[in-house]
Amino acid sequence: LSDDDVQGPFSIGFTFQFYGNNYTDFYVGSNGWIGFSSGQPTSYFADTIPNSTSTVMPRNCIMLSWEDLNPSTGGQVLYQTIGNAPNRKMVLTFDNVPYFGSTTIARPITFQVVLYEESNVIDNHIMDKPLHTNLSVQGIHNLLGTSATVVPGRNATIWSANQESVRYFPSGVSWYDVNSGQMI
């Protein structure tokens, strides 16, 4: 991925349901999101979701940490589908990806999304997201931009996280504490 880039489609490896629609492919935005529609904008400026009027905001997507990142200056963006039907998982990882314009100001960011076959559960793991001046969003946003689920305090705000996971269920969201192994 280059700066402010979207690539795809890539095969999920199974059918995944997101906001009631079935998908077999995904797209990756270099600014920290995975989506299920072609023609997504490449905006690097995070704004609050939901938003049905913006033409520069990604929709039909999972925002792992939507903000101004630049994978072309370091790190890796990797994906793979693992396991056997009907229990496969598609894993997308942003590994040590730098913030745009700041390869020395802040540590790079590392996070991951896991899509689960059959259950349509989504895990968003943040291994390390240093504090930075970028506004960022962590949540999911539907196709029309009319519905979203956002992690509290992370809707176009400045935040950091370390060793943290969020699990989205088709019927709601729960937070999982990786340190204690408990849903909270």
Side-chain angles (χ1 to χ4, degrees), residues 51-115:
N51 188 324
S52 63
T53 60
S54 174
T55 59
V56 297
M57 175 180 292
R59 296 185 192 156
N60 204 30
C61 66
I62 304 159
M63 297 170 174
L64 293 79
S65 179
W66 175 38
E67 59 187 303
D68 197 6
L69 303 175
N70 190 357
S72 68
T73 60
Q76 297 181 2
V77 180
L78 310 162
Y79 78 93
Q80 72 177 51
T81 300
I82 57 176
N84 299 306
N87 299 305
R88 291 173 285 196
K89 299 178 225 178
M90 196 289 293
V91 181
L92 171 73
T93 304
F94 281 64
D95 184 23
N96 287 305
V97 173
Y99 291 93
F100 177 80
S102 63
T103 56
T104 59
I105 296 170
R107 292 184 317 276
I109 188 169
T110 298
F111 50 72
Q112 178 179 82
V113 68
V114 182
L115 308 180

Side-chain angles (χ1 to χ4, degrees), residues 18-19 119-123 140 148-150 166-175 183:
F18 185 72
Y19 277 103
S119 68
N120 302 304
V121 165
I122 302 163
D123 283 343
I140 58 176
T149 300
V150 181
V166 176
R167 176 169 276 183
Y168 302 93
F169 293 94
S171 60
V173 64
S174 293
W175 284 263
M183 299 297 279

Side-chain angles (χ1 to χ4, degrees), residues 11 15 21 40 49 52 59 61 67 71 75 83 85 93 95 119 132-133 135 142-143 147 158 160 168 170 174 176 180:
S11 176
T15 300
N21 298 306
Q40 294 274 19
I49 60 173
S52 63
R59 296 185 192 156
C61 66
E67 59 187 303
T93 304
D95 184 23
S119 68
H132 194 274
T133 57
L135 297 178
N142 77 341
L143 180 63
S147 182
I158 296 171
S160 65
Y168 302 93
S174 293
Y176 180 75
S180 70

